[in-house]
């Protein structure tokens, strides 16, 4: 057994995960977010990926997005099963953005990603990915604006160019949403009515969806505290409890609260999952 553990470390790692209770799994990328049920957050020294920025990225708050989650039942963010659509790779390169996005003035970052740990088959990007160079015949674009390899073998290394959005970037007209998509991205569970009231108070006087979103973001950043200490017992309404009672929590509570507050204002929203940048070497 010890010999196979050394020879097949990834297989051993996957096997050991099944022996560890769910509440002690190391926090990381996931295709669902269950509020209040991941136990004490754990830190790991195992690198998930190595990245290299080829052009200046000063002032860029680097966050590596894997996917987005649109459906929320009050405690869990998730997506329905989505097979996605193939994006063909021609001579190791594929265009990921529409022409309108490619011509949008603003800052772009050229970078390389080398995946180091098992993260399913998800590809991680900064900002809005526009072009990818990858040694694979195709990749899959999901309805959740994510990309994956579709289980195909590839070198685990790819380069990309992304548009990095900031408050000074010129706005981009969003595509029209179908009524079905709007219903999904505006759905809210039964919760404390104070959440909707707080959203209206925070955004009072703001006229555009972007202005309202930035007002909520600023409110959460300045009026709430960050902690990795979770509640001793689960609560029926985690978002309402975070916003109106405890007023501190970890990243999943902040993201969920912003998305739900936006939805109460009639602004379609979803939660993104991925990784915050690690140490610079």
């Amino acid at each position: 057994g010890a010999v196979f553990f050394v020879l097949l470390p990834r297989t051993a790692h996957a096997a050991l995960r099944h022996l560890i209770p769910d509440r002690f799994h190391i926090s990381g990328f996931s295709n669902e977010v269950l509020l209040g049920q991941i136990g004490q957050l754990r830190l790991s020294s195992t690198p998930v990926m190595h990245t290299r920025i080829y052009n200046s990225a000063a002032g860029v708050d680097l966050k590596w997005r894997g996917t987005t989650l649109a459906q929320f039942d009050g405690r869990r963010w998730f997506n329905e099963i989505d097979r996605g659509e193939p994006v063909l790779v021609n001579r190791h390169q594929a265009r990921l953005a529409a022409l309108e996005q490619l011509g949008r003035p603003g800052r772009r970052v050229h970078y390389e990603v080398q995946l180091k740990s098992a993260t399913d088959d998800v590809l991680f990007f900064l900002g809005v990915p526009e072009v990818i160079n990858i040694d694979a015949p195709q990749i899959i674009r999901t309805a959740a604006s994510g990309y994956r390899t579709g289980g195909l073998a590839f070198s685990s290394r790819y380069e990309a160019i992304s548009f990095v959005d900031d408050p000074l970037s010129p706005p981009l007209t969003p595509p029209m949403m179908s009524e079905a998509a709007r219903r999904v991205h505006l759905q809210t569970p039964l919760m404390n009515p104070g959440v909707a009231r707080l959203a209206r108070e925070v955004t009072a006087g703001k006229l555009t969806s972007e202005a309202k979103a930035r007002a909520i973001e600023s409110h959460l950043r300045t009026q709430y505290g960050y902690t990795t200490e979770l509640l001793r017992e689960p609560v029926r309404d985690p978002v309402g409890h975070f916003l109106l009672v405890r007023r501190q929590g970890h990243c999943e509570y902040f993201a969920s609260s912003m998305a739900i507050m936006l939805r109460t204002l009639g602004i379609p929203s979803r939660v993104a999952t991925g990784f915050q940048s690690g140490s610079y070497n």
Side-chain angles (χ1 to χ4, degrees), residues 176-186:
M176 293 294 294
M177 296 183 71
S178 67
E179 283 303 313
R182 280 189 66 85
R183 283 196 297 269
V184 170
H185 290 83
L186 288 175

Side-chain angles (χ1 to χ4, degrees), residues 91-106:
R91 296 182 180 179
H92 306 290
Q93 186 175 94
R95 193 185 77 187
L96 305 180
L99 292 177
E100 183 183 9
Q101 170 63 41
L102 292 173
R104 187 181 179 190

Side-chain angles (χ1 to χ4, degrees), residues 12 52 63 71 91 93 95 114 121 131 137-138 152 207 209 239 246 249 253 269 281:
R52 174 180 295 178
K63 293 183 176 65
Q71 295 177 297
R91 296 182 180 179
Q93 186 175 94
R95 193 185 77 187
Q114 195 165 16
D121 62 346
V131 177
Q138 69 176 32
L152 297 176
L207 301 180
S209 296
V239 170
R246 195 181 188 207
Y253 286 90
S269 57
N281 185 335

Side-chain angles (χ1 to χ4, degrees), residues 87-95 132-134 136-139:
V87 177
L88 296 180
V89 178
N90 184 20
R91 296 182 180 179
H92 306 290
Q93 186 175 94
R95 193 185 77 187
I132 183 174
N133 291 321
I134 186 171
Q138 69 176 32
I139 58 177

